[in-house]
Amino acid sequence: TGNAAAGILTAAITMGGEPMPTRSTLSEEYNGSTWTAGGALNNGRAMGAGAGTQTATLFFGAFDGATTYAYTESYDGSSWTSENTLTTPTRQLAGAGTETAGLAAAGYNGTAITAVSEEYNGTSWTAGNSLNTARNKLSGDGLQTAAFVVGGDTGSASAAMEEYDGTDWTTSPATLGTARATLAAA
């Protein structure tokens, strides 16, 4: 549990997770019919978020069982490289976008649920506008300029959806049929 994913049905990747008692450095790639081992992450962790494709992946945010981190790593299809970190250590966040235009949204910073968003330009993260509702354990997808987040934990399970246009977050009239948290996306 606690792993992240990116890619498409015939070229997906999953990374990190919680095989207790340590956090995983594993990544696995899916070709549409079978899973095979991918390169090892530099830092074992769980509860991060993913963005991009199987051969151009971004993995960010982290939890090692004790500490929340701001780690960011990129994947070229064979090996992981440490990149500039998020500006705020975050876990249980949503991810969207690509390896060179990523989006991190909301999450838990180690002391509180947040509404923070950050944008990645292929080199570094910068603060974006905040979501309307702080939440963690949410799902997100899309591009940096056309993304959404849905569900999550706001103190209780949420059905709410917010859309991002690259500048502002807007609460959508569309909601999940059932409020829920601890979601994932790819």
Side-chain angles (χ1 to χ4, degrees):
T1 63
N3 56 316
I8 61 173
L9 178 62
T10 56
I13 185 167
T14 184
M15 51 274 186
E18 295 185 325
M20 301 306 267
T22 60
R23 301 309 184 252
S24 178
T25 60
L26 299 176
S27 69
E28 293 188 45
E29 300 174 9
Y30 185 69
N31 65 10
S33 62
T34 58
W35 289 93
T36 58
L41 291 161
N42 294 302
N43 299 286
R45 58 201 159 146
M47 300 181 197
T53 65
Q54 187 184 75
T55 58
T57 310
L58 199 59
F59 183 41
F60 45 93
F63 184 62
D64 69 0
T67 304
T68 300
Y69 292 97
Y71 292 133
T72 300
E73 293 187 38
S74 63
Y75 186 65
D76 63 8
S78 62
S79 61
W80 291 92
T81 302
S82 294
E83 304 291 350
N84 288 320
T85 61
L86 290 163
T87 60
T88 303
T90 310
R91 69 182 189 236
Q92 300 169 324
L93 67 164
T98 66
E99 183 184 40
T100 57
L103 179 66
Y108 183 76
N109 67 13
T111 58
I113 296 172
T114 74
V116 172
S117 73
E118 297 186 37
E119 297 179 356
Y120 187 71
N121 64 9
T123 303
S124 58
W125 292 94
T126 57
N129 286 326
S130 293
L131 284 76
N132 295 294
T133 303
R135 62 181 88 194
N136 68 331
K137 302 179 184 176
L138 65 163
S139 177
D141 211 346
L143 301 173
Q144 188 183 71
T145 57
F148 74 91
V149 297
V150 66
D153 183 351
T154 61
S156 61
S158 173
M161 178 174 165
E162 293 189 43
E163 298 173 353
Y164 188 63
D165 64 9
T167 303
D168 295 311
W169 290 94
T170 304
T171 301
S172 172
T175 61
L176 292 171
T178 303
R180 61 187 108 161
T182 315
L183 301 169

